[in-house]
Amino acid sequence: MIQETLLQMGFWTAWLVIPAFFELLVALWGWWHIHFKPVAVPSGEVPGRMPQVTIILPVYNAAGTLAACLRSIARCDYPNELITVICANNQSTDDSWRVYQTMQKELRDLRLQWLEGPQRGKAQALNMAIYASSGDYVVTMDSTGLLGKHALKNFIHNFMLDPAVQAQTGAVLCNRKLIEADRHHRWMHHSEYLAHAIAFLAGRTAESQTDQLITLSGALAAFRRSALMQSRMYSVETVGVATNMAFQIRYYLKGKVILCPTAVFYAPPAPNWAALNAKYQRWQRGEIEVIRAFLATKLSLTGLFANFLVRRLLLEYTMALLKVGWLVMGGLLLGLGYPGQLVGLSFAFVYLLYLWIAGLNLSNVLFYLRFDKTERNYCDRHWWTFFTLPLYQLVTDLFRLSGLINGLSPAAPAKKVPANWRKKG
């Protein structure tokens, strides 16, 4: 009886055990790399001369966040006299200009500039500001969040230690103070915090160690200015402008792209589920557009072992599709007369497997959060989120799958009509 039950469970549970097994292998690989071959964390003073840094802030209706963002830059441990901040206005219709004027009077030690762009779009604003930048290094960051105290110094430290590094991405964490101040969507916000931490301090950290990092965070990234000036600038043909720049540096300039886990940007959490859905869809479509533009002729199953992008696409999309299909099949099995206890036991088994994966990733996060005790204490206080993380990841997998479908939606080539993906919320 027990043997027959296990055989029946194994028949349909294999559809999800297979993707979970592959994800477990990736998690084990990342855990081994991070714990036994950790990324060097910059410490101490910047060697040699401290260079000039230009920070570019694309501004679009940021009246509610611009002041706090500029104050976070002024409070960082990099000398203010070596920082130039360019606010590249993206045709804002609110009081962003008035907030900027107020901050210009308040932050007298910080060199602030305001540029008006003739066209709307983040890529256009960034390109305009790059041409106006000065110094050896350029940092791009969103005006909606806060810059970590040690981010600039750690970026510069990495650039000086390794001349091959042309670009770095920072680690994006949700602003825990905003999460604690908002009593709505608490589970979503705590899960989003943990998912962000895992994405940067587990996933991208392991990718950076093996030189397989292909994405830069649009929220915080740093560049050698010379690399930006040699690039084709930010593309206006994709929503994944930061990922497009990472591909340019890797494939056109043959430069190195790494993660600096101690350069932190504190982003606001998504206000609701609709906004979270739009964010994941935007990320998904941007990645697909960039990969298609750069590697459309090179992606095939024959490169499964030679090209890490082929393996990544198979894991991310094929396995996500299997998970969603398995979820639907669970309901169909009940309709076909399978015992509810048997189906429930299968779900429980797979859920425990995904908890194991989440545990490995959380171990990586705590390993790197040693540099910030307040962030680590926040994770420790909300330990219960770990047990529901597979549910949250299933929801975001559905969002990403929707983004993939929308990214493949047919467009009219003659009119250059973009795919109709949801961008409001």
Side-chain angles (χ1 to χ4, degrees), residues 324-338:
V324 174
W326 190 88
L327 185 66
V328 175
M329 283 298 298
L332 293 178
L333 289 172
L334 292 175
L336 292 173
Y338 281 85

Side-chain angles (χ1 to χ4, degrees), residues 400-417:
R400 293 174 59 199
L401 189 60
S402 299
L404 176 62
I405 294 172
N406 286 333
L408 298 176
S409 298
K415 298 182 180 179
K416 295 184 179 180
V417 179

